[in-house]
Amino acid sequence: MHIVPAVIRDESVPVHPEHDPRHPLVVFGDHRFCSGEASLVQVMPGPHMHSQVELNFVLKGKMTYWFDGRELTIDEGRLCLFWGMIPHQVISRDEGTRFVCLYVPMSFFLGLASLTRFRDAVFRGAMIEALELRSYDNEIFERWRDELRSGDEGLIEIVRNELGARVLRIERDGWRDLREEGSAIARLGVNESERVEHVERMLRYIAENALNDISADDVGRNSGLHPNYAMSVFKRAVGITINQAIIRHRLDTAQSLLIATDLPITDVAFDSGFGSVSRFYQAFSERFGMRPKQYRASMRSKV
């Protein structure tokens, strides 16, 4: 069986709920702007998901992620970021590997109106790597970690502004998707902060409820917008429709369950939020190019 691990964080810091080793897929409900411990990276037994965008700066060593069906390696001095709703976990690391891990709410990226292709790539599931680093990145990422963990609201606001500038530099200096896939362009205008809040609310609602029987209308109404208008705003901001986002979340969940459990395919379908096995097979085959049983076998053959 292909074991899909995660990252150990300092248990004294309540960044996310504790991982339950009896459950193979953990979806964290934390939406804060916060930091994990710059700790030793270790293998753990289950994939996890969370609503924030995650930034990883590797201080020492090397770590390999399982990410959306791929194995992606990040070594010392490299900076990567990705949307946490893509199931991810570390499957190997050099002894003593350390990193700084920052968690940024979706609204932060939605509010950076100038990040068009970059922002869209993140929400479409890219693993973004910065192509140019600064000599002070080690120091500043460790400082951001400490200041976010301090609880000082003034310092946290400063970090928010400084990190925003750093992300803008990634866009300006150059970046690549480690999956080597292109992405389309989506945009919200500079003065559309209210719409940004609605889009974040919709993304959060999908993340928390996609495994239940929800519709695009449910997502729109929960955001406080008329469903038709909500669909338009969402598509413009994220680059996919609400229904596509719901299905993608369900398929991400199914992907993790196929790899990390021995559940029958029918159980995987229903546990992932699909109302029928036939719809699950169709959606899964369209995205992954093979049937669920074939996908499970292909991933486990790599062990």
Side-chain angles (χ1 to χ4, degrees):
M1 180 176 177
H2 186 77
I3 301 299
V4 192
V7 177
I8 290 179
R9 297 184 177 89
D10 184 353
E11 295 181 8
S12 67
V13 182
V15 175
H16 289 304
E18 192 65 29
H19 172 71
D20 180 358
R22 297 168 299 178
H23 195 290
L25 177 64
V26 178
V27 181
F28 296 120
D30 198 331
H31 310 290
R32 294 176 297 157
F33 182 57
C34 56
S35 171
E37 174 75 359
S39 62
L40 294 176
V41 178
Q42 305 210 8
V43 169
M44 290 182 66
H48 66 270
M49 303 162 70
H50 51 81
S51 69
Q52 304 110 314
V53 172
E54 179 174 333
L55 288 87
N56 288 174
F57 185 81
V58 180
L59 300 170
K60 177 183 178 183
K62 180 172 64 177
M63 55 194 287
T64 298
Y65 269 112
W66 177 86
F67 183 87
D68 196 24
R70 298 169 175 83
E71 294 184 7
L72 305 176
T73 299
I74 310 170
D75 51 22
E76 184 172 332
R78 292 171 69 186
L79 169 61
C80 292
L81 61 91
F82 55 88
W83 190 20
M85 286 313 299
I86 308 300
H88 57 280
Q89 48 281 320
V90 174
I91 59 175
S92 66
R93 86 285 184 264
D94 287 352
E95 190 70 27
T97 298
R98 297 174 57 247
F99 75 159
V100 172
C101 186
L102 306 180
Y103 300 95
V104 181
M106 295 172 290
S107 56
F108 177 88
F109 279 81
L110 291 169
L112 296 175
S114 63
L115 300 183
T116 53
R117 189 172 64 91
F118 178 91
R119 184 183 61 194
D120 182 65
V122 171
F123 284 110
R124 285 180 176 269
M127 172 80 77
I128 298 291
E129 180 185 13
L131 295 182
E132 185 173 331
L133 296 177
R134 300 291 192 269
S135 60
Y136 51 76
D137 274 330
N138 276 53
E139 177 184 350
I140 198 166
F141 270 87
E142 290 190 275
R143 190 183 76 199
W144 285 341
R145 175 206 67 207
D146 294 340
E147 291 178 347
L148 285 174
R149 289 162 51 83
S150 73
D152 185 317
E153 292 300 326
L155 285 176
I156 291 173
E157 183 60 28
I158 291 173
V159 173
R160 188 188 303 272
N161 293 330
E162 290 178 343
L163 186 57
R166 185 66 185 90
V167 170
L168 290 172
R169 285 193 180 277
I170 295 174
E171 165 73 356
R172 181 181 180 86
D173 295 342
W175 55 274
R176 64 170 178 150
D177 180 355
L178 292 183
R179 306 169 312 153
E180 298 182 348
E181 292 181 1
S183 63
I185 294 177
R187 161 173 282 176
L188 281 177
V190 175
N191 298 316
E192 299 187 54
S193 59
E194 183 177 350
R195 295 186 189 182
V196 166
E197 294 176 6
H198 287 300
V199 172
E200 181 188 18
R201 194 175 305 163
M202 286 187 274
L203 286 166
R204 184 180 299 181
Y205 185 83
I206 292 170
E208 294 175 348
N209 297 280
L211 304 190
N212 301 319
D213 184 16
I214 63 170
S215 66
D217 282 359
D218 295 327
V219 176
R221 290 192 186 95
N222 183 75
S223 72
L225 299 176
H226 185 281
N228 290 339
Y229 182 61
M231 293 176 198
S232 174
V233 170
F234 188 92
K235 179 67 161 58
R236 185 180 179 190
V238 183
I240 59 177
T241 67
I242 292 175
N243 279 327
Q244 287 171 331
I246 293 171
I247 292 172
R248 189 177 78 174
H249 181 87
R250 291 171 177 170
L251 289 173
D252 286 338
T253 303
Q255 182 185 29
S256 291
L257 292 176
L258 286 169
I259 292 172
T261 78
D262 292 314
L263 285 173
I265 302 301
T266 299
D267 290 351
V268 170
F270 288 115
D271 287 354
S272 301
F274 286 90
S276 77
V277 176
S278 62
R279 284 200 293 271
F280 169 61
Y281 271 92
Q282 179 181 357
F284 193 93
S285 298
E286 286 176 357
R287 174 169 171 181
F288 296 104
M290 63 182 75
R291 294 168 70 84
K293 185 176 181 179
Q294 293 174 300
Y295 181 84
R296 173 180 271 167
S298 70
M299 293 303 297
R300 294 183 179 183
S301 68
K302 298 178 181 179
V303 178

